[in-house]
Amino acid sequence: MKLRMRRILPLLATVLVLCGAMAGTALAADPTDESGTKMIECPTCGGSGACMECYGLDALCESCGGTNACADCGGSGYVESPSRFYNTLWSLLPPVIAIALALITKEVYSSLFIGILAGGALYANFAFEGAVLHVFQDGIVSVLSDGYNVGILIFLVILGAMVCLMNKAGGSAAFGRWAQTHIKTRVGAQLATIVLGCLIFIDDYFNCLTVGSVMRPITDKHRISRAKLAYLIDATAAPVCIIAPISSWAAAVAAFAEEGQGLSLFIRAIPFNFYAILTVVMMVGMALMKVEFGPMAIFESNAEETGDLFSGANPYAAMDEEMEENKGRVLDLVLPIVVLVICCVLGMIYSGGFFAGAGFVEAFSNSDASVGLLLGSAFALVFTLVYYSIRRAMSFRDMMGCIPEGFKAMVPAIMILTFAWSLKAMTDSLGAKYFVRDFVWNNAAGAQMFLPAIVFVIGCLLAFATGTSWGTFGMLIPIVQNVFPVDHPLAIVCISACMAGAVCGDHCSPISDTTIMASAGAQCDHVNHVSTQLPYAFTAAAVSFVSYVVAGFIPNAFIALPVAIVLMLATLLVIKRIHRNKAA
């Protein structure tokens, strides 16, 4: 036991600074497998090791001399990183700077950009020209040239246009009027938001913006703050997707696991995904118990007592001006969203090869979320335009005007996403993922009973600092599979802890794309959303940590999961009693 504690204590001390490693794919047989590696993929040949001048076709090639070997890497495909900070603790600095500045200054754009500049400076060893080129060429331009990223940005623009169309046609206002007669309480409005968020489990991006556009009129009518709406959206996005077998997240986990085991592992890990399950339990419990705490309590009090939904300025005021109060039908909102859901599902399975003969589950496992959501939203937009034309809900000129208006509404989310992706590229180029990998590999393997809780904490910190959950469990799942064989009782628990930690960190992170889009979906100030939801997320994370300690000793879902749920409800009761005593 003493030996185990000596191994655990250094890990727990060091894990506090593990706030920035970027995620990688499954470990391959290459020089980067070595502990303390300084090797990176050769930028000249792209890791192929082949001569890029003659491609082995010219025996007299001056570059390779007919050997078809890349002159820079000698045919190995790898060269040493030019940065002396590669795979060191310093590689964690850029995201730490960005997050600290965002929370201190409450200004996200400059904070992210300063973090990006710090990453460029470290990569170039503080050489001015090299830092500038790395920031813009390898960072901002590179991420905006990536096909997957561009697909997500276009998806955002299309959804922004659809939201603007639904507002202009009066569908959102009509749905609000309908909901006012059917949803009569603040509790009912919150529960309706949670249910809708749980029903839209295909993809977290789609969830955020769709739930936001549908529920904003309802929550506004019942004086629920936009910060609380943003939390409900964010908490039913990634946490629900990570326990839904048919989702883009299940496909991502399947891709990171050993071949042929992905979907099976995902399904077996669901009962141990404590953070996701407890987040849903916590939302429902708070709504029914009427519990609010932390900064969210102030926002909710302002909304309920004075009608101030923002506790400050409305960053999306221009979109609210487009609302039409006296026209439109509920079908003008519901039908486009139903078509959007159907089209996005079809787009996802199309990208996975369903119409080429693959099975439904297999197609989802192989789907490309960027392609599927882009195609689905594009077809849904065309349908919406045709439907409103037939309905004569607005003129053709007004419909076309909604497209640039929707684009403008999404500019804040697009800017933050671009900077967040660029920060990810900076951290990747510094090899932070290898620093964390080596640390986990060398220090955590011996503490078996506590390993699920430790993996959960590491996953939280990695995803929080980097804003990427997929990348986080993409790195941790292969490590866990190397520590435990699949038939080991703790293997599934630790794999689930990887996913839960990644989702928790993603949920909390101000630079997470899901967090950003939850703010956009609720039309809430981004920093307000982050600061108000952190105490809630930390509460669920703390209970999840204790639950993983229990599961480490009793790796049985029929025991560990009920214990976790009871702990969560008991925690809410204690918080309610504390606040009641303070009020008294």
Side-chain angles (χ1 to χ4, degrees):
M1 178 60 73
K2 289 183 179 179
L3 179 60
R4 285 184 178 175
M5 288 304 296
R6 284 198 297 269
R7 290 178 177 175
I8 295 169
L9 290 176
L11 177 63
L12 295 178
T14 308
V15 82
L16 297 177
V17 296
L18 295 184
C19 306
M22 289 317 302
T25 54
L27 304 176
D30 57 46
T32 60
D33 278 349
E34 300 174 4
S35 180
T37 182
K38 295 288 185 182
M39 305 302 290
I40 62 172
E41 188 179 86
C42 176
T44 304
C45 64
S48 67
C51 175
M52 304 307 289
E53 297 293 331
C54 69
Y55 302 101
L57 301 177
D58 186 359
L60 302 178
C61 174
E62 294 181 0
S63 179
C64 68
T67 63
N68 189 29
C70 174
D72 288 344
C73 65
S76 67
Y78 298 90
V79 295
E80 188 169 335
S81 171
S83 175
R84 65 174 180 268
F85 300 102
Y86 188 85
N87 193 5
T88 67
L89 187 62
W90 291 101
S91 62
L92 309 176
L93 187 61
V96 171
I97 290 175
I99 291 170
L101 286 176
L103 295 177
I104 292 170
T105 67
K106 300 189 181 301
E107 208 294 305
V108 68
Y109 304 113
S110 60
S111 302
L112 285 172
F113 190 66
I114 291 172
I116 294 169
L117 291 178
L122 290 172
Y123 181 82
N125 301 311
F126 298 102
F128 177 77
E129 180 183 4
V132 171
L133 292 176
H134 188 59
V135 165
F136 288 98
Q137 289 186 348
D138 302 330
I140 296 174
V141 173
S142 176
V143 300
L144 290 177
S145 303
D146 182 86
Y148 186 94
N149 292 346
V150 172
I152 293 300
L153 295 181
I154 296 175
F155 171 65
L156 282 176
V157 171
I158 292 175
L159 280 181
M162 288 191 65
V163 170
C164 189
L165 282 166
M166 289 184 287
N167 288 344
K168 191 79 172 179
S172 298
F175 190 81
R177 292 192 296 269
W178 174 87
Q180 200 170 19
T181 62
H182 292 79
I183 301 175
K184 299 184 181 298
T185 63
R186 299 181 85 249
V187 173
Q190 293 179 61
L191 292 177
T193 305
I194 295 168
V195 170
L196 182 60
C198 292
L199 290 176
I200 303 179
F201 54 78
I202 299 298
D203 184 78
D204 55 328
Y205 294 171
F206 176 48
N207 179 301
C208 288
L209 297 174
T210 303
V211 175
S213 64
V214 172
M215 296 306 301
R216 270 197 315 272
I218 301 172
T219 55
D220 287 356
K221 296 288 185 183
H222 289 282
R223 294 190 171 189
I224 295 171
S225 68
R226 291 290 180 88
K228 184 60 181 293
L229 175 60
Y231 167 71
L232 295 177
I233 293 171
D234 207 352
T236 54
V240 170
C241 290
I242 199 63
I243 54 176
I246 301 177
S247 69
S248 57
W249 287 62
V253 173
F256 290 124
E258 292 181 7
E259 187 174 356
Q261 299 177 351
L263 194 59
S264 172
L265 284 176
F266 183 90
I267 294 172
R268 291 167 60 195
I270 290 174
F272 291 105
N273 202 320
F274 296 133
Y275 181 79
I277 295 172
L278 294 182
T279 295
V280 176
V281 172
M282 181 176 176
M283 284 188 296
V284 175
M286 286 194 304
L288 295 176
M289 297 179 190
K290 299 181 180 179
V291 178
E292 304 291 350
F293 58 94
M296 187 74 80
I298 299 173
F299 278 73
E300 282 291 87
S301 176
N302 290 341
E304 187 173 8
E305 295 174 6
T306 68
D308 183 1
L309 302 177
F310 300 90
S311 294
N314 175 8
Y316 293 86
M319 287 198 74
D320 286 346
E321 293 172 1
E322 299 295 327
M323 296 286 288
E324 292 285 349
E325 294 293 341
N326 300 318
K327 68 173 186 176
R329 301 184 303 186
V330 173
L331 198 62
D332 293 337
L333 176 75
V334 174
L335 187 58
I337 289 178
V338 170
V339 171
L340 180 63
V341 172
I342 294 172
C343 288
C344 284
V345 172
L346 292 175
M348 294 281 285
I349 62 176
Y350 168 79
S351 68
F354 177 76
F355 297 102
F360 186 83
V361 175
E362 180 186 356
F364 248 106
S365 298
N366 298 327
S367 65
D368 185 321
S370 177
V371 173
L373 296 176
L374 171 60
L375 293 176
S377 60
F379 277 97
L381 176 61
V382 172
F383 170 85
T384 303
L385 293 172
V386 172
Y387 170 69
Y388 287 158
S389 296
I390 295 172
R391 270 260 301 126
R392 295 184 179 179
M394 67 182 84
S395 68
F396 181 77
R397 181 184 294 273
D398 287 341
M399 286 193 292
M400 291 300 100
C402 287
I403 295 177
E405 286 300 316
F407 185 104
K408 285 190 290 185
M410 287 299 168
V411 165
I414 290 172
M415 285 185 63
I416 297 174
L417 270 179
T418 300
F419 284 156
W421 286 332
S422 300
L423 183 62
K424 177 185 184 299
M426 294 298 102
T427 318
D428 252 342
S429 68
L430 291 170
K433 62 184 179 183
Y434 299 119
F435 175 78
V436 175
R437 181 200 65 186
D438 294 343
F439 181 84
V440 175
W441 200 290
N442 295 330
N443 293 277
Q448 289 194 8
M449 299 305 178
F450 295 97
L451 192 57
I454 293 170
V455 169
F456 174 73
V457 171
I458 293 174
C460 289
L461 294 175
L462 295 183
F464 178 82
T466 62
T468 170
S469 48
W470 287 20
T472 299
F473 57 64
M475 183 181 69
L476 292 181
I477 286 177
I479 293 175
V480 168
Q481 288 186 308
N482 279 291
V483 173
F484 292 116
V486 177
D487 57 351
H488 193 284
L490 288 179
I492 296 299
V493 181
C494 285
I495 288 173
S496 187
C498 294
M499 295 187 285
V503 169
C504 177
D506 177 89
H507 190 194
C508 299
S509 177
I511 61 174
S512 161
D513 45 8
T514 309
T515 306
I516 294 164
M517 281 189 280
S519 302
Q523 295 186 6
C524 168
D525 180 79
H526 182 59
V527 174
N528 286 344
H529 167 45
V530 173
S531 61
T532 53
Q533 86 163 357
L534 278 177
Y536 290 1
F538 286 165
T539 301
V543 178
S544 299
F545 176 82
V546 175
S547 302
Y548 279 116
V549 172
V550 173
F553 288 91
I554 310 173
N556 186 317
F558 293 103
I559 297 176
L561 182 57
V563 169
I565 294 174
V566 169
L567 285 174
M568 184 75 260
L569 295 175
T571 301
L572 291 179
L573 288 172
V574 170
I575 291 173
K576 182 176 181 179
R577 176 167 294 182
I578 291 173
H579 278 262
R580 181 184 297 169
N581 292 339
K582 283 184 178 180

